[in-house]
Amino acid sequence: MPRPSRESYGDQKPPYSYISLTAMAIWSSPERMLPLSEIYRFITDRFPYYRRNTQRWQNSLRHNLSFNDCFVKVPRRPDRPGKGAYWTLHPQAFDMFENGSLLRRRKRFKLQKGEKDNLNAELAALASFNRAFLARQAGAPSAPAPMPSASLYTRMCPQLSPEPTELPEVATMTMLPRERPRRAFTIDALLEPDSPRLSPSPPQHQPMSQASVAMHMVPRLEFSLSPYALAAQRYHAELLQAAAHALRPCYLPPPLLPVA
DNA sequence: ACTTGTTTACTGATCT
DNA sequence: AGATCAGTAAACAAGT
């Protein structure tokens, strides 16, 4: 069966839930996190059906983002001003989809109260750190910015402990072994029709559609460190470097360049 | 004013 | 039948 594409769905409603569509969008981004407007754009670019009635489905999608614990709202970086936060997938939400299929969820992803509180506390700390960082940059006197205590990625990914004491080098970060998702989290795989359990992916003889070509540009995710942990780690590292640089500009190297 | 985010409520479909 | 999931509407708050 040919892989569904922009062409094959046409104006028909794709068989994916809003959660699946949002997960696809997030996973298609290099940093595995996107602002709401980019999630909208991903969906309307690939699925013409969603170019109509935008108010309706976008309201539903926002409802899903807020309502489901599988989506985590990450405060915007201070050096990337703009409206709204970034959204990412909770690493434990990997197993949410049965057999890796985006067509049907195994069960709702629900964080326990304590986990949720911890996460919210860390995100709040990050947000307040950002505010203090911006205030300092603007030259306003402010109380010392409370660093987010234990890094998000340590909290979210306990197997990463102990937290590195030095700033992590993003390019050489160690990917820790974890059970691989049963289906590769590439856009191709995500858009592939549900295949029978245990059957290998059929060979693709179809010429690639324009959409598929674009999708192939998305880097394949072959490691299994959680994307959220990865994004948070990178973000946190950049933040710390930028902060250190602002405080001691003649001593420390310049902040890392923003990732593409 | 508009966008983003949260919450509640309801309905229908599907699963157990 | 009851539980769970998904979709939708709507009200409201907050931020830009």
Side-chain angles (χ1 to χ4, degrees):
Chain A
M1 187 171 162
R3 172 164 32 92
S5 66
R6 193 203 309 241
E7 288 75 17
S8 62
Y9 286 125
D11 285 344
Q12 298 232 304
K13 185 173 185 174
Y16 304 106
S17 66
Y18 292 123
I19 292 180
S20 301
L21 292 169
T22 308
M24 277 185 218
I26 289 171
W27 274 89
S28 77
S29 71
E31 293 178 290
R32 318 293 172 205
M33 54 205 292
L34 283 179
L36 183 63
S37 57
E38 293 296 308
I39 297 174
Y40 290 159
R41 195 143 69 99
F42 176 93
I43 293 172
T44 50
D45 278 355
R46 283 162 182 78
F47 303 103
Y49 174 85
Y50 290 108
R51 291 173 196 160
R52 297 169 302 180
N53 294 322
T54 52
Q55 283 219 315
R56 187 161 66 168
W57 70 263
Q58 289 180 352
N59 184 23
S60 298
L61 190 140
R62 288 195 305 275
H63 161 77
N64 272 284
L65 281 172
S66 291
F67 184 73
N68 290 290
D69 288 346
C70 58
F71 298 115
V72 181
K73 195 175 71 174
V74 182
R76 225 169 228 280
R77 296 162 43 143
D79 59 335
R80 286 190 201 174
K83 208 169 179 180
Y86 279 80
W87 289 95
T88 189
L89 263 177
H90 194 286
Q92 291 166 23
F94 268 122
D95 292 334
M96 194 168 59
F97 298 100
E98 189 164 0
N99 198 26
S101 165
L102 284 168
L103 295 176
R104 192 177 119 199
R105 283 207 296 175
R106 177 187 298 167
K107 60 173 189 166
R108 190 184 290 262
F109 175 78
K110 205 74 194 161
L111 281 180
Q112 289 182 344
K113 178 82 169 66
E115 289 179 301
K116 203 166 181 174
D117 291 345
N118 285 343
L119 180 55
N120 287 340
E122 285 301 331
L123 291 168
L126 202 50
S128 86
F129 176 78
N130 286 356
R131 279 193 297 274
F133 181 81
L134 283 174
R136 190 185 289 273
Q137 276 204 323
S142 64
M147 285 286 183
S149 54
S151 293
L152 282 167
Y153 61 87
T154 311
R155 233 11 119 74
M156 305 283 287
C157 231
Q159 71 268 37
L160 278 175
S161 301
E163 185 179 355
T165 51
E166 295 177 13
L167 295 174
E169 175 52 57
V170 171
T172 59
M173 234 165 29
T174 307
M175 304 305 174
L176 294 177
R178 188 164 176 256
E179 190 189 348
R180 287 180 63 129
R182 285 174 212 106
R183 169 180 250 174
F185 254 101
T186 62
I187 297 302
D188 271 355
L190 295 180
L191 288 179
E192 226 172 82
D194 214 5
S195 52
R197 194 178 284 258
L198 297 177
S199 73
S201 303
Q204 293 169 11
H205 302 300
Q206 307 278 329
M208 262 200 253
S209 67
Q210 205 177 349
S212 306
V213 171
M215 286 164 181
H216 271 280
M217 294 168 68
V218 174
R220 288 177 178 275
L221 189 72
E222 296 297 348
F223 54 86
S224 48
L225 176 66
S226 88
Y228 178 75
L230 182 58
Q233 182 175 14
R234 179 184 292 154
Y235 166 50
H236 205 170
E238 289 178 29
L239 205 59
L240 291 172
Q241 279 219 347
H245 181 64
L247 295 173
R248 289 173 285 170
C250 54
Y251 174 69
L252 288 164
L256 295 175
L257 290 172
V259 287

